[in-house]
Amino acid sequence: MSSVTLSIDAMGGDHAPEVVLEGLQLFCRRRSDVNFLLHGQSDALAPLVSKHKLASRCALIDHPDVVSMSAKPSSALRKGKTTSMWGMIESVKQGEASAGVSAGNTGALMAMSMMILRKMPGVHRPAMTAIWPTLNGRSVVLDVGANLDADADQLVEFAVMGEAYARAVFGTKRPTVGLLNIGAEDEKGRDAVKFASEIMRTRDIGIEFKGYVEGNDISMGVADVIVTDGFTGNVALKTAEGTARLVSRYVREALTSSLLSKAGAALAASGLRDLRTKLNPSSVNGGVLLGLNGVIVKSHGGTDAEGFATAIKLAADLANSHYMEEVSSGLKRVSQLGIAPETVE
Amino acid sequence: MSSVTLSIDAMGGDHAPEVVLEGLQLFCRRRSDVNFLLHGQSDALAPLVSKHKLASRCALIDHPDVVSMSAKPSSALRKGKTTSMWGMIESVKQGEASAGVSAGNTGALMAMSMMILRKMPGVHRPAMTAIWPTLNGRSVVLDVGANLDADADQLVEFAVMGEAYARAVFGTKRPTVGLLNIGAEDEKGRDAVKFASEIMRTRDIGIEFKGYVEGNDISMGVADVIVTDGFTGNVALKTAEGTARLVSRYVREALTSSLLSKAGAALAASGLRDLRTKLNPSSVNGGVLLGLNGVIVKSHGGTDAEGFATAIKLAADLANSHYMEEVSSGLKRVSQLGIAPETVE
């Protein structure tokens, strides 16, 4: 693995810059092949860099302003050029870094990334990914909120981009792709979903299409890539988070309900530690806006240092992969079939 | 509580008629105020009725045919008049029973219910409910799959019907209503969702509207009623089921991973039994197609006897409530405001 430079928005996130720097430190202890361009307010960052002994791995780039977590994307775009987020993306655009990471305002990050990096040829709309823990390991779900809707062509594009992404992130040779619907039968579902299914079933777009999957199939790991529109995907992702939190609460109550239960929980401590690790959202933190000329990883805004380190690892893995070429060649294949015409910009 | 008669499709469901009769027996042991019209094939049912000693509580009504679990709604409608499902609904229509229950083919049940019972005045589209376990108790989520989409007027109708339903089922005086979206800010989301929110915020439709909620808020119990379109609601419901199953599997693995963990699990047995009860889907089984001139409860097709008993209890509770009047007066209120014009049939 050759050395990689990543661009970091040090000011983005609910607990920035502290958590960002702690995450960097965690990551740097584990990996020595990555260096960083750290974008943000020097006054705030310099003491943290020295505290965490990161000076040899980080170059500090000063930006006076920060995109607030509540800023509207449109206003962030207008007034954003002096912010750490803009600087982070610009470094990726200029080729100074192979990928970028921010835990900041999602809407602003998507809008700025699209404006600075532009869409790949053949992409109608970029899509946001999430990594979803399943019975068999992990799956990629997209779109989880970059768009409100998706027509059939866009769903096919999401499938092609998500499949290339799964190959890069999981190392799976032939990831399977499922299309989220509310029934397994051919005649069920919205028109866009039915048309997308027909295209993927009948045209050779070079992916392993498994047909429709339902909400309960996602966690069961029936496909490596789950394709849906951004509204549905966002609701599904957050619903799963809420359900996991509810069940975790039930487990805690069950194991503290009596002295005997508490004693049992103490004995089972090592198993329960594994459980906590599995349910820890930090371990799957990091989404990517697929379809841009550059890799930007979005970390959850409220994540902890471990979660930010996970997002950095994802960026480093993508920087080391051929994912951009894979996505681009997949999109070319689809556009040559005449399904998804080149987008006009 | 006065005596109530319920109409039962004894042939519907993956394990009918056995599970249906076992569920009836469980219910009858707990409640003596309910009698049953049992629709199905007499030859199959008579021995089960006598085995479970239900003869004094059930009148058997013979139907030669059964709607198969895989039948398309259109074909079930054409050829359905001789089936137990049709007979079950017809008894509700004729006033012989106050409510009906089936664990059969969902699409067929919805289509037949709409054809036989007709929509209430003011209803554009009926909506299917689900009861969702939360941190605070239970919430109603609708639509979970009766429709593929919903415009703003329909979402407002769902809110009004769901609120009346929550009052009847939970006994809550002023249930709160949340609208499912992918962000809490006013400017986020699909147009239909934004328009529906504006109507509920600015017009006096007589409900306690809490604004937007996100997927993770459902399990946290932030509102008693969660309103969404049928596609999103169905995906959310099934995603939550899948996630709960995954986490349960993790818990089981954690507590059987070593001898020590197993010993701990044995000590914590009573707490873990509570956990199993809480996670048992049987305890929240039963959806209702709101907006029809009659109460039909849909049980999960794969439910067990306990789950079928839960669906029967829901039907009995609704039969004993003023829910039809509540829904109807809520709809009248909305239609008088000129938001949702009377539907033309």
Side-chain angles (χ1 to χ4, degrees):
Chain A
M1 221 177 276
S2 58
S3 168
V4 161
T5 300
L6 299 180
S7 176
I8 307 288
D9 170 13
M11 311 306 287
D14 299 341
H15 314 291
E18 288 78 10
V19 160
V20 172
L21 273 290
E22 286 164 27
L24 272 175
Q25 191 200 25
L26 280 179
F27 180 84
C28 285
R29 268 195 238 143
R30 296 169 195 160
R31 290 265 293 261
S32 58
D33 60 325
V34 182
N35 294 308
F36 299 95
L37 302 177
L38 209 55
H39 296 267
Q41 294 164 328
S42 309
D43 292 353
L45 295 179
L48 290 169
V49 167
S50 98
K51 174 182 163 193
H52 293 296
K53 305 192 173 53
L54 290 166
S56 67
R57 307 281 291 273
C58 292
L60 250 173
I61 300 167
D62 187 57
H63 302 275
D65 295 317
V66 174
V67 176
S68 82
M69 293 304 270
S70 58
K72 291 190 185 180
S74 52
S75 108
L77 273 188
R78 268 199 318 278
K79 303 185 288 185
K81 299 201 178 182
T82 53
T83 61
S84 57
M85 187 183 277
W86 188 282
M88 178 276 290
I89 305 167
E90 193 63 38
S91 284
V92 175
K93 161 84 175 175
Q94 300 305 332
E96 301 154 5
S98 315
V101 184
S102 175
N105 182 321
T106 309
L109 183 65
M110 292 196 297
M112 282 188 186
S113 300
M114 280 194 252
M115 171 167 278
I116 299 171
L117 297 172
R118 317 298 292 181
K119 291 182 284 182
M120 280 182 178
V123 173
H124 289 81
R125 298 280 304 163
M128 181 62 86
T129 63
I131 291 174
W132 193 296
T134 73
L135 212 51
N136 309 326
R138 296 177 302 167
S139 296
V140 172
V141 179
L142 79 165
D143 175 19
V144 296
N147 310 283
L148 288 171
D149 274 301
D151 64 21
D153 287 351
Q154 285 164 7
L155 290 171
V156 173
E157 276 177 28
F158 295 173
V160 169
M161 296 194 292
E163 197 257 2
Y165 179 73
R167 264 185 284 138
V169 177
F170 303 150
T172 321
K173 283 237 170 71
R174 284 288 282 171
T176 53
V177 178
L179 186 58
L180 192 58
N181 198 354
I182 64 170
E185 304 83 17
D186 275 353
E187 76 278 9
K188 276 223 177 171
R190 290 179 170 160
D191 285 345
V193 173
K194 288 197 273 191
F195 294 151
S197 168
E198 202 186 315
I199 293 169
M200 291 193 274
R201 271 189 298 109
T202 59
R203 309 294 295 268
D204 180 22
I205 57 168
I207 63 168
E208 193 76 26
F209 181 55
K210 300 260 289 180
Y212 294 143
V213 298
E214 299 188 65
N216 48 319
D217 296 326
I218 310 174
S219 288
M220 295 302 108
V222 298
D224 299 310
V225 181
I226 307 286
V227 173
T228 187
D229 67 86
F231 191 93
T232 309
N234 187 281
V235 167
L237 179 67
K238 288 180 177 161
T239 299
E241 287 170 3
T243 305
R245 206 179 319 153
L246 178 70
V247 176
S248 303
R249 184 81 71 100
Y250 284 168
V251 173
R252 201 157 57 240
E253 280 168 13
L255 294 174
T256 52
S257 59
S258 69
L259 267 178
L260 218 54
S261 294
K262 280 185 203 166
L267 279 184
S270 86
L272 292 173
R273 239 187 334 265
D274 292 349
L275 176 66
R276 262 197 302 277
T277 309
K278 277 185 180 160
L279 289 178
N280 185 355
S282 299
S283 65
V284 290
N285 186 39
V288 174
L289 201 56
L290 296 183
L292 299 182
N293 295 305
V295 180
I296 302 294
V297 172
K298 166 74 182 88
S299 159
H300 199 291
T303 196
D304 57 11
E306 193 57 63
F308 200 82
T310 304
I312 297 173
K313 180 178 181 305
L314 177 61
D317 290 349
L318 287 170
N320 273 319
S321 78
H322 298 287
Y323 133 86
M324 297 282 292
E325 295 85 335
E326 305 258 10
V327 170
S328 158
S329 79
L331 288 169
K332 219 167 275 166
R333 220 162 44 230
V334 172
S335 81
Q336 276 161 2
L337 286 173
I339 296 159
E342 297 274 321
T343 182
V344 183
E345 291 210 64
Chain B
M1 222 176 275
S2 57
S3 169
V4 161
T5 299
L6 299 180
S7 178
I8 307 289
D9 170 11
M11 311 306 288
D14 299 341
H15 313 292
E18 289 77 12
V19 159
V20 171
L21 274 288
E22 286 165 26
L24 273 175
Q25 191 200 25
L26 280 179
F27 181 83
C28 285
R29 269 197 236 143
R30 295 168 197 163
R31 291 266 294 262
S32 58
D33 61 325
V34 182
N35 294 307
F36 299 94
L37 302 177
L38 209 55
H39 295 268
Q41 293 164 329
S42 309
D43 292 354
L45 295 179
L48 290 169
V49 167
S50 96
K51 173 182 165 194
H52 292 296
K53 303 191 173 57
L54 291 166
S56 66
R57 306 281 292 273
C58 293
L60 250 175
I61 300 166
D62 187 58
H63 302 274
D65 295 318
V66 175
V67 176
S68 83
M69 293 303 272
S70 59
K72 290 191 185 178
S74 52
S75 108
L77 273 188
R78 269 198 320 277
K79 304 185 287 186
K81 299 202 178 182
T82 53
T83 61
S84 57
M85 188 183 276
W86 188 282
M88 177 276 289
I89 305 167
E90 193 63 36
S91 284
V92 175
K93 160 85 174 175
Q94 299 305 330
E96 300 155 5
S98 316
V101 183
S102 176
N105 182 320
T106 308
L109 182 66
M110 290 197 297
M112 281 190 188
S113 300
M114 280 193 251
M115 170 166 280
I116 299 171
L117 298 172
R118 319 297 290 180
K119 292 182 284 181
M120 280 182 178
V123 173
H124 288 81
R125 298 281 305 164
M128 182 61 88
T129 63
I131 291 175
W132 192 297
T134 73
L135 213 51
N136 308 325
R138 297 177 300 168
S139 296
V140 171
V141 178
L142 79 167
D143 177 19
V144 295
N147 311 283
L148 288 171
D149 273 301
D151 63 20
D153 288 351
Q154 285 164 7
L155 290 171
V156 173
E157 277 177 29
F158 294 173
V160 169
M161 295 195 293
E163 197 256 3
Y165 178 74
R167 264 185 282 138
V169 177
F170 302 150
T172 321
K173 284 236 170 72
R174 284 287 281 171
T176 52
V177 178
L179 187 59
L180 193 58
N181 199 355
I182 65 170
E185 304 83 17
D186 275 352
E187 75 279 8
K188 277 224 177 172
R190 289 177 171 162
D191 286 344
V193 172
K194 288 198 272 190
F195 294 153
S197 168
E198 201 186 315
I199 293 170
M200 292 195 274
R201 272 189 298 107
T202 58
R203 310 293 295 266
D204 182 20
I205 57 168
I207 63 167
E208 194 76 24
F209 180 55
K210 300 260 288 183
Y212 294 142
V213 298
E214 297 187 66
N216 49 321
D217 296 326
I218 310 175
S219 288
M220 296 300 109
V222 298
D224 299 309
V225 181
I226 307 287
V227 173
T228 187
D229 67 87
F231 191 92
T232 309
N234 187 281
V235 167
L237 180 66
K238 287 179 176 162
T239 299
E241 287 170 3
T243 306
R245 206 178 320 151
L246 178 70
V247 176
S248 303
R249 184 80 72 100
Y250 284 168
V251 173
R252 201 157 56 240
E253 280 168 13
L255 295 174
T256 53
S257 59
S258 69
L259 266 179
L260 219 55
S261 293
K262 280 186 202 163
L267 278 185
S270 86
L272 292 174
R273 239 186 337 264
D274 292 349
L275 175 66
R276 265 197 300 279
T277 309
K278 276 184 181 160
L279 290 179
N280 184 355
S282 299
S283 65
V284 290
N285 186 37
V288 174
L289 201 56
L290 297 182
L292 299 182
N293 296 304
V295 180
I296 302 293
V297 172
K298 166 74 181 87
S299 160
H300 199 290
T303 194
D304 58 10
E306 193 58 63
F308 200 83
T310 304
I312 296 173
K313 179 176 182 305
L314 177 60
D317 290 348
L318 287 170
N320 273 318
S321 77
H322 298 287
Y323 133 85
M324 297 283 291
E325 295 87 331
E326 305 258 10
V327 170
S328 156
S329 79
L331 289 168
K332 219 167 277 166
R333 221 163 44 230
V334 173
S335 79
Q336 276 161 3
L337 286 172
I339 298 160
E342 298 273 321
T343 181
V344 183
E345 290 210 66

PDB file of all heavy atoms in Angstrom, chain A residues 148-170:
ATOM      1  N   LEU A 148     -34.700  13.215  -3.020  1.00  0.00           N
ATOM      2  CA  LEU A 148     -36.006  12.897  -2.448  1.00  0.00           C
ATOM      3  C   LEU A 148     -36.679  11.781  -3.230  1.00  0.00           C
ATOM      4  O   LEU A 148     -37.499  11.044  -2.695  1.00  0.00           O
ATOM      5  CB  LEU A 148     -36.907  14.133  -2.472  1.00  0.00           C
ATOM      6  CG  LEU A 148     -36.533  15.222  -1.485  1.00  0.00           C
ATOM      7  CD1 LEU A 148     -37.350  16.470  -1.756  1.00  0.00           C
ATOM      8  CD2 LEU A 148     -36.747  14.740  -0.065  1.00  0.00           C
ATOM      9  N   ASP A 149     -36.368  11.669  -4.504  1.00  0.00           N
ATOM     10  CA  ASP A 149     -37.019  10.686  -5.355  1.00  0.00           C
ATOM     11  C   ASP A 149     -36.006  10.104  -6.322  1.00  0.00           C
ATOM     12  O   ASP A 149     -34.888  10.621  -6.424  1.00  0.00           O
ATOM     13  CB  ASP A 149     -38.164  11.336  -6.150  1.00  0.00           C
ATOM     14  CG  ASP A 149     -39.437  11.336  -5.361  1.00  0.00           C
ATOM     15  OD1 ASP A 149     -39.891  10.238  -4.988  1.00  0.00           O
ATOM     16  OD2 ASP A 149     -39.972  12.434  -5.092  1.00  0.00           O
ATOM     17  N   ALA A 150     -36.416   9.073  -7.036  1.00  0.00           N
ATOM     18  CA  ALA A 150     -35.542   8.513  -8.065  1.00  0.00           C
ATOM     19  C   ALA A 150     -36.417   7.854  -9.112  1.00  0.00           C
ATOM     20  O   ALA A 150     -37.319   7.087  -8.777  1.00  0.00           O
ATOM     21  CB  ALA A 150     -34.592   7.488  -7.449  1.00  0.00           C
ATOM     22  N   ASP A 151     -36.158   8.164 -10.394  1.00  0.00           N
ATOM     23  CA  ASP A 151     -36.884   7.447 -11.447  1.00  0.00           C
ATOM     24  C   ASP A 151     -36.112   6.173 -11.783  1.00  0.00           C
ATOM     25  O   ASP A 151     -35.073   5.877 -11.190  1.00  0.00           O
ATOM     26  CB  ASP A 151     -37.119   8.352 -12.664  1.00  0.00           C
ATOM     27  CG  ASP A 151     -35.822   8.786 -13.331  1.00  0.00           C
ATOM     28  OD1 ASP A 151     -34.788   8.119 -13.135  1.00  0.00           O
ATOM     29  OD2 ASP A 151     -35.841   9.797 -14.058  1.00  0.00           O
ATOM     30  N   ALA A 152     -36.638   5.418 -12.752  1.00  0.00           N
ATOM     31  CA  ALA A 152     -36.064   4.094 -13.042  1.00  0.00           C
ATOM     32  C   ALA A 152     -34.598   4.194 -13.469  1.00  0.00           C
ATOM     33  O   ALA A 152     -33.751   3.433 -12.991  1.00  0.00           O
ATOM     34  CB  ALA A 152     -36.893   3.404 -14.127  1.00  0.00           C
ATOM     35  N   ASP A 153     -34.269   5.161 -14.356  1.00  0.00           N
ATOM     36  CA  ASP A 153     -32.887   5.312 -14.815  1.00  0.00           C
ATOM     37  C   ASP A 153     -31.950   5.594 -13.643  1.00  0.00           C
ATOM     38  O   ASP A 153     -30.833   5.077 -13.580  1.00  0.00           O
ATOM     39  CB  ASP A 153     -32.770   6.482 -15.812  1.00  0.00           C
ATOM     40  CG  ASP A 153     -33.377   6.126 -17.152  1.00  0.00           C
ATOM     41  OD1 ASP A 153     -33.717   4.939 -17.355  1.00  0.00           O
ATOM     42  OD2 ASP A 153     -33.526   7.035 -17.994  1.00  0.00           O
ATOM     43  N   GLN A 154     -32.417   6.449 -12.739  1.00  0.00           N
ATOM     44  CA  GLN A 154     -31.586   6.791 -11.590  1.00  0.00           C
ATOM     45  C   GLN A 154     -31.374   5.581 -10.690  1.00  0.00           C
ATOM     46  O   GLN A 154     -30.270   5.346 -10.191  1.00  0.00           O
ATOM     47  CB  GLN A 154     -32.209   7.952 -10.813  1.00  0.00           C
ATOM     48  CG  GLN A 154     -32.023   9.285 -11.548  1.00  0.00           C
ATOM     49  CD  GLN A 154     -32.931  10.377 -11.034  1.00  0.00           C
ATOM     50  OE1 GLN A 154     -33.638  10.199 -10.037  1.00  0.00           O
ATOM     51  NE2 GLN A 154     -32.934  11.502 -11.720  1.00  0.00           N
ATOM     52  N   LEU A 155     -32.421   4.779 -10.492  1.00  0.00           N
ATOM     53  CA  LEU A 155     -32.269   3.576  -9.665  1.00  0.00           C
ATOM     54  C   LEU A 155     -31.250   2.620 -10.294  1.00  0.00           C
ATOM     55  O   LEU A 155     -30.442   2.006  -9.584  1.00  0.00           O
ATOM     56  CB  LEU A 155     -33.625   2.873  -9.480  1.00  0.00           C
ATOM     57  CG  LEU A 155     -34.639   3.621  -8.583  1.00  0.00           C
ATOM     58  CD1 LEU A 155     -36.013   2.945  -8.647  1.00  0.00           C
ATOM     59  CD2 LEU A 155     -34.160   3.685  -7.134  1.00  0.00           C
ATOM     60  N   VAL A 156     -31.272   2.513 -11.619  1.00  0.00           N
ATOM     61  CA  VAL A 156     -30.289   1.653 -12.307  1.00  0.00           C
ATOM     62  C   VAL A 156     -28.883   2.213 -12.102  1.00  0.00           C
ATOM     63  O   VAL A 156     -27.934   1.459 -11.819  1.00  0.00           O
ATOM     64  CB  VAL A 156     -30.624   1.529 -13.808  1.00  0.00           C
ATOM     65  CG1 VAL A 156     -29.510   0.791 -14.547  1.00  0.00           C
ATOM     66  CG2 VAL A 156     -31.961   0.810 -14.006  1.00  0.00           C
ATOM     67  N   GLU A 157     -28.746   3.526 -12.210  1.00  0.00           N
ATOM     68  CA  GLU A 157     -27.434   4.145 -11.954  1.00  0.00           C
ATOM     69  C   GLU A 157     -26.959   3.878 -10.527  1.00  0.00           C
ATOM     70  O   GLU A 157     -25.783   3.585 -10.295  1.00  0.00           O
ATOM     71  CB  GLU A 157     -27.510   5.662 -12.148  1.00  0.00           C
ATOM     72  CG  GLU A 157     -27.360   6.112 -13.573  1.00  0.00           C
ATOM     73  CD  GLU A 157     -27.533   7.626 -13.666  1.00  0.00           C
ATOM     74  OE1 GLU A 157     -27.245   8.347 -12.685  1.00  0.00           O
ATOM     75  OE2 GLU A 157     -27.992   8.069 -14.719  1.00  0.00           O
ATOM     76  N   PHE A 158     -27.887   4.005  -9.564  1.00  0.00           N
ATOM     77  CA  PHE A 158     -27.527   3.743  -8.166  1.00  0.00           C
ATOM     78  C   PHE A 158     -27.021   2.303  -8.030  1.00  0.00           C
ATOM     79  O   PHE A 158     -26.071   2.029  -7.300  1.00  0.00           O
ATOM     80  CB  PHE A 158     -28.724   3.933  -7.234  1.00  0.00           C
ATOM     81  CG  PHE A 158     -29.254   5.344  -7.136  1.00  0.00           C
ATOM     82  CD1 PHE A 158     -30.423   5.615  -6.430  1.00  0.00           C
ATOM     83  CD2 PHE A 158     -28.576   6.411  -7.727  1.00  0.00           C
ATOM     84  CE1 PHE A 158     -30.917   6.911  -6.321  1.00  0.00           C
ATOM     85  CE2 PHE A 158     -29.061   7.711  -7.633  1.00  0.00           C
ATOM     86  CZ  PHE A 158     -30.244   7.956  -6.933  1.00  0.00           C
ATOM     87  N   ALA A 159     -27.679   1.386  -8.746  1.00  0.00           N
ATOM     88  CA  ALA A 159     -27.284  -0.030  -8.675  1.00  0.00           C
ATOM     89  C   ALA A 159     -25.851  -0.199  -9.177  1.00  0.00           C
ATOM     90  O   ALA A 159     -25.027  -0.872  -8.552  1.00  0.00           O
ATOM     91  CB  ALA A 159     -28.255  -0.891  -9.490  1.00  0.00           C
ATOM     92  N   VAL A 160     -25.560   0.429 -10.312  1.00  0.00           N
ATOM     93  CA  VAL A 160     -24.231   0.293 -10.920  1.00  0.00           C
ATOM     94  C   VAL A 160     -23.162   0.940 -10.021  1.00  0.00           C
ATOM     95  O   VAL A 160     -22.108   0.358  -9.764  1.00  0.00           O
ATOM     96  CB  VAL A 160     -24.232   0.936 -12.322  1.00  0.00           C
ATOM     97  CG1 VAL A 160     -22.812   1.060 -12.863  1.00  0.00           C
ATOM     98  CG2 VAL A 160     -25.109   0.109 -13.266  1.00  0.00           C
ATOM     99  N   MET A 161     -23.460   2.125  -9.513  1.00  0.00           N
ATOM    100  CA  MET A 161     -22.487   2.808  -8.649  1.00  0.00           C
ATOM    101  C   MET A 161     -22.318   2.061  -7.327  1.00  0.00           C
ATOM    102  O   MET A 161     -21.195   1.900  -6.825  1.00  0.00           O
ATOM    103  CB  MET A 161     -22.930   4.246  -8.375  1.00  0.00           C
ATOM    104  CG  MET A 161     -22.975   5.123  -9.636  1.00  0.00           C
ATOM    105  SD  MET A 161     -23.094   6.916  -9.250  1.00  0.00           S
ATOM    106  CE  MET A 161     -24.728   7.053  -8.537  1.00  0.00           C
ATOM    107  N   GLY A 162     -23.419   1.588  -6.762  1.00  0.00           N
ATOM    108  CA  GLY A 162     -23.364   0.878  -5.479  1.00  0.00           C
ATOM    109  C   GLY A 162     -22.610  -0.434  -5.599  1.00  0.00           C
ATOM    110  O   GLY A 162     -21.868  -0.834  -4.691  1.00  0.00           O
ATOM    111  N   GLU A 163     -22.768  -1.094  -6.740  1.00  0.00           N
ATOM    112  CA  GLU A 163     -22.078  -2.363  -6.944  1.00  0.00           C
ATOM    113  C   GLU A 163     -20.573  -2.142  -7.018  1.00  0.00           C
ATOM    114  O   GLU A 163     -19.783  -2.877  -6.403  1.00  0.00           O
ATOM    115  CB  GLU A 163     -22.607  -3.013  -8.233  1.00  0.00           C
ATOM    116  CG  GLU A 163     -22.302  -4.483  -8.350  1.00  0.00           C
ATOM    117  CD  GLU A 163     -21.162  -4.752  -9.312  1.00  0.00           C
ATOM    118  OE1 GLU A 163     -20.579  -3.797  -9.872  1.00  0.00           O
ATOM    119  OE2 GLU A 163     -20.846  -5.934  -9.495  1.00  0.00           O
ATOM    120  N   ALA A 164     -20.148  -1.107  -7.737  1.00  0.00           N
ATOM    121  CA  ALA A 164     -18.717  -0.791  -7.830  1.00  0.00           C
ATOM    122  C   ALA A 164     -18.166  -0.396  -6.458  1.00  0.00           C
ATOM    123  O   ALA A 164     -17.056  -0.780  -6.074  1.00  0.00           O
ATOM    124  CB  ALA A 164     -18.503   0.348  -8.836  1.00  0.00           C
ATOM    125  N   TYR A 165     -18.965   0.340  -5.722  1.00  0.00           N
ATOM    126  CA  TYR A 165     -18.572   0.762  -4.380  1.00  0.00           C
ATOM    127  C   TYR A 165     -18.408  -0.454  -3.453  1.00  0.00           C
ATOM    128  O   TYR A 165     -17.425  -0.555  -2.713  1.00  0.00           O
ATOM    129  CB  TYR A 165     -19.631   1.717  -3.846  1.00  0.00           C
ATOM    130  CG  TYR A 165     -19.412   2.240  -2.449  1.00  0.00           C
ATOM    131  CD1 TYR A 165     -18.437   3.185  -2.187  1.00  0.00           C
ATOM    132  CD2 TYR A 165     -20.209   1.806  -1.393  1.00  0.00           C
ATOM    133  CE1 TYR A 165     -18.241   3.674  -0.901  1.00  0.00           C
ATOM    134  CE2 TYR A 165     -20.024   2.292  -0.114  1.00  0.00           C
ATOM    135  CZ  TYR A 165     -19.044   3.221   0.128  1.00  0.00           C
ATOM    136  OH  TYR A 165     -18.863   3.705   1.400  1.00  0.00           O
ATOM    137  N   ALA A 166     -19.344  -1.386  -3.508  1.00  0.00           N
ATOM    138  CA  ALA A 166     -19.268  -2.587  -2.658  1.00  0.00           C
ATOM    139  C   ALA A 166     -18.020  -3.403  -2.995  1.00  0.00           C
ATOM    140  O   ALA A 166     -17.361  -3.942  -2.105  1.00  0.00           O
ATOM    141  CB  ALA A 166     -20.531  -3.436  -2.831  1.00  0.00           C
ATOM    142  N   ARG A 167     -17.688  -3.475  -4.294  1.00  0.00           N
ATOM    143  CA  ARG A 167     -16.467  -4.191  -4.679  1.00  0.00           C
ATOM    144  C   ARG A 167     -15.250  -3.533  -4.044  1.00  0.00           C
ATOM    145  O   ARG A 167     -14.368  -4.212  -3.508  1.00  0.00           O
ATOM    146  CB  ARG A 167     -16.326  -4.219  -6.203  1.00  0.00           C
ATOM    147  CG  ARG A 167     -16.871  -5.520  -6.803  1.00  0.00           C
ATOM    148  CD  ARG A 167     -16.628  -5.588  -8.288  1.00  0.00           C
ATOM    149  NE  ARG A 167     -17.556  -4.743  -9.019  1.00  0.00           N
ATOM    150  CZ  ARG A 167     -17.237  -3.970 -10.045  1.00  0.00           C
ATOM    151  NH1 ARG A 167     -15.987  -3.927 -10.469  1.00  0.00           N
ATOM    152  NH2 ARG A 167     -18.145  -3.250 -10.644  1.00  0.00           N
ATOM    153  N   ALA A 168     -15.217  -2.188  -4.080  1.00  0.00           N
ATOM    154  CA  ALA A 168     -14.061  -1.465  -3.540  1.00  0.00           C
ATOM    155  C   ALA A 168     -13.976  -1.571  -2.019  1.00  0.00           C
ATOM    156  O   ALA A 168     -12.912  -1.771  -1.453  1.00  0.00           O
ATOM    157  CB  ALA A 168     -14.126   0.004  -3.958  1.00  0.00           C
ATOM    158  N   VAL A 169     -15.125  -1.459  -1.333  1.00  0.00           N
ATOM    159  CA  VAL A 169     -15.107  -1.392   0.130  1.00  0.00           C
ATOM    160  C   VAL A 169     -15.035  -2.772   0.769  1.00  0.00           C
ATOM    161  O   VAL A 169     -14.329  -2.982   1.748  1.00  0.00           O
ATOM    162  CB  VAL A 169     -16.355  -0.640   0.640  1.00  0.00           C
ATOM    163  CG1 VAL A 169     -16.383  -0.624   2.161  1.00  0.00           C
ATOM    164  CG2 VAL A 169     -16.357   0.775   0.110  1.00  0.00           C
ATOM    165  N   PHE A 170     -15.789  -3.736   0.229  1.00  0.00           N
ATOM    166  CA  PHE A 170     -15.839  -5.064   0.842  1.00  0.00           C
ATOM    167  C   PHE A 170     -14.866  -6.041   0.189  1.00  0.00           C
ATOM    168  O   PHE A 170     -14.597  -7.112   0.722  1.00  0.00           O
ATOM    169  CB  PHE A 170     -17.249  -5.670   0.751  1.00  0.00           C
ATOM    170  CG  PHE A 170     -18.330  -4.834   1.381  1.00  0.00           C
ATOM    171  CD1 PHE A 170     -19.631  -4.862   0.888  1.00  0.00           C
ATOM    172  CD2 PHE A 170     -18.058  -4.028   2.484  1.00  0.00           C
ATOM    173  CE1 PHE A 170     -20.630  -4.104   1.471  1.00  0.00           C
ATOM    174  CE2 PHE A 170     -19.056  -3.258   3.072  1.00  0.00           C
ATOM    175  CZ  PHE A 170     -20.344  -3.294   2.563  1.00  0.00           C
TER     176      PHE A 170
END
